[in-house]
Amino acid sequence: MGTMNAVHINPGVDRASSRRRIDLNLALTFLAILREGSVSQAADHLSLTQSAVSASLRRLRLLCGDELFIRSRRDGMVPTRRALAMAEPVAEAVGLLRQAMLGDARFDPRRARRQFVLGLVAGLESAVGPAILRRLLDFAPQVSVRFRECSDAELPALIESRAVEIGVGTLSSRPTRLHQDMLGSVRFACILDAEACGVCLPLDLESYLALPHVLASGARRDGPVDLALRAIGRERRVASAVTHFSALPAFLIGMRAVGTVPIYAARSMAAVSPALSLSEAPVAIPALQIALMTNRDGVADPGVVWLKEVVAEEIRMALCLPWEAAPAGDGAS
């Protein structure tokens, strides 16, 4: 880990005088630095100069008697334990104040100027990111979204720490302080160059197992595909594994090989790689349940509520199976 530079805090008279000068800007500065991990990026987010944000951070440190953020060469401004403990109550207080002052004021995407951070599990960024951007360009020209790829394991902590405002990942059955909205079931699909593989679609089980398989994005040999095959007494031959879904097309185009991935990832690959085709998996692979997650105070933030609706619509579209008819009335409004 990179070296960290500590700032000496003198909790004497300065801290006492700072308590008399608490204002909302300090809370907004604290949340911006926490989310951006950088004083300069926080300044851009708040439309302030870097020196103004630095001055507010000095006041925060005096007020709290803690460094709050320690500068690291590798990780930027790293929050201390005190800062992490403050994150949720400060954000809730700001949300309540916003709600009290604005009442039932609605978020107007055409006029709003705001940046959101959206955390997505592997494969979703390329699957729904372009469609979300298209919606913003058409209907919210001053709103921006920064996408961040997260694992299911790290997503809850990123949301709770306010580094991510909205997250999409596997529905958790464990107790959580997050608000979860069920989006649907994630089915698996096969992606392959059918011509290079010399097969007819849809794949039958014997053709599927005769092909070498390429794993993607941390898929393991004890994952849902292999467990489903073992349940019927079969197994596949894995020829290779790649780190990210985005690399998989290059390993399949012109190759006698197949990948088995979540439907949203398969659809996005086929959309940009005409040589690749989709096929229903010839084995019953249990579906995953996917959810949209926010902090509980996010349900009172009109901007977060608006973006949640946009994200939910695009993800539900990405979960549709092309070989099944869409339910009546389903789709984006």
Side-chain angles (χ1 to χ4, degrees):
M1 185 170 181
T3 58
M4 294 189 177
N5 299 324
V7 176
H8 178 67
I9 304 297
N10 183 349
V13 177
D14 288 337
R15 184 179 180 189
S17 61
S18 293
R19 283 178 170 171
R20 296 192 294 269
R21 293 181 284 114
I22 298 175
D23 61 51
L24 178 61
N25 290 327
L26 295 182
L28 297 177
T29 297
F30 171 79
L31 294 174
I33 298 174
L34 182 69
R35 184 172 66 176
E36 304 294 336
S38 162
V39 170
S40 61
Q41 291 181 23
D44 290 340
H45 175 76
L46 296 169
S47 299
L48 297 172
T49 64
Q50 186 170 337
S51 60
V53 172
S54 295
S56 292
L57 178 57
R58 286 194 295 271
R59 289 180 60 193
L60 278 165
R61 285 167 165 162
L62 289 172
L63 175 65
C64 299
D66 187 87
E67 296 175 33
L68 297 180
F69 300 96
I70 301 175
R71 192 180 303 278
S72 165
R73 291 180 181 177
R74 190 187 72 177
D75 302 315
M77 299 296 284
V78 179
T80 64
R81 290 183 179 180
R82 175 70 186 282
L84 292 175
M86 290 169 52
E88 185 169 358
V90 170
E92 288 181 354
V94 170
L96 289 172
L97 182 59
R98 181 186 291 115
Q99 186 178 20
M101 297 181 70
L102 299 180
D104 294 329
R106 299 193 177 192
F107 179 80
D108 184 350
R110 293 191 178 277
R111 297 183 180 182
R113 298 177 62 92
R114 184 167 175 181
Q115 181 188 78
F116 296 94
V117 182
L118 180 58
L120 304 171
V121 293
L124 271 177
E125 182 176 350
S126 58
V128 301
I132 292 172
L133 175 59
R134 191 175 300 113
R135 294 274 292 270
L136 296 187
L137 294 176
D138 289 343
F139 302 109
Q142 300 302 318
V143 173
S144 63
V145 173
R146 187 172 66 181
F147 295 97
R148 179 169 178 173
E149 184 176 305
C150 316
S151 68
D152 279 316
E154 64 185 354
L155 188 56
L158 290 171
I159 297 173
E160 289 181 2
S161 70
R162 313 288 164 167
V164 165
E165 288 166 290
I166 300 173
V168 180
T170 303
L171 181 69
S172 175
S173 59
R174 295 174 298 177
T176 177
R177 291 183 293 179
L178 301 179
H179 179 82
Q180 297 188 99
D181 293 311
M182 171 71 167
L183 293 178
S185 299
V186 180
R187 305 300 296 270
F188 286 80
C190 301
I191 180 88
L192 70 161
D193 184 331
E195 183 176 349
C197 291
V199 297
C200 296
L201 301 180
L203 284 174
D204 58 38
L205 182 60
E206 297 306 322
S207 298
Y208 176 71
L209 294 178
L211 292 171
H213 289 246
V214 181
L215 306 186
S217 190
R220 303 176 304 180
R221 291 306 306 269
D222 60 349
V225 177
D226 293 285
L227 291 177
L229 287 171
R230 289 173 197 166
I232 60 172
R234 306 298 295 269
E235 64 178 345
R236 59 179 175 167
R237 183 173 76 83
V238 175
S240 185
V242 297
T243 306
H244 297 288
F245 284 123
S246 59
L248 188 56
F251 283 73
L252 298 178
I253 296 174
M255 301 275 194
R256 186 176 175 275
V258 62
T260 309
V261 297
I263 183 60
Y264 56 77
R267 291 184 64 162
S268 66
M269 292 178 204
V272 298
S273 305
L276 297 180
S277 300
L278 302 183
S279 176
E280 184 175 4
V283 60
I285 305 169
L288 303 175
Q289 303 303 312
I290 196 168
L292 189 152
M293 294 168 269
T294 62
N295 280 295
R296 293 193 177 275
D297 60 335
V299 298
D301 184 327
V304 170
V305 172
W306 173 81
L307 185 59
K308 282 174 59 177
E309 293 175 355
V310 172
V311 173
E313 286 181 9
E314 297 302 336
I315 289 180
R316 289 191 178 105
M317 291 292 292
L319 297 181
C320 292
L321 302 176
W323 49 81
E324 292 184 359
D330 191 26
S333 57

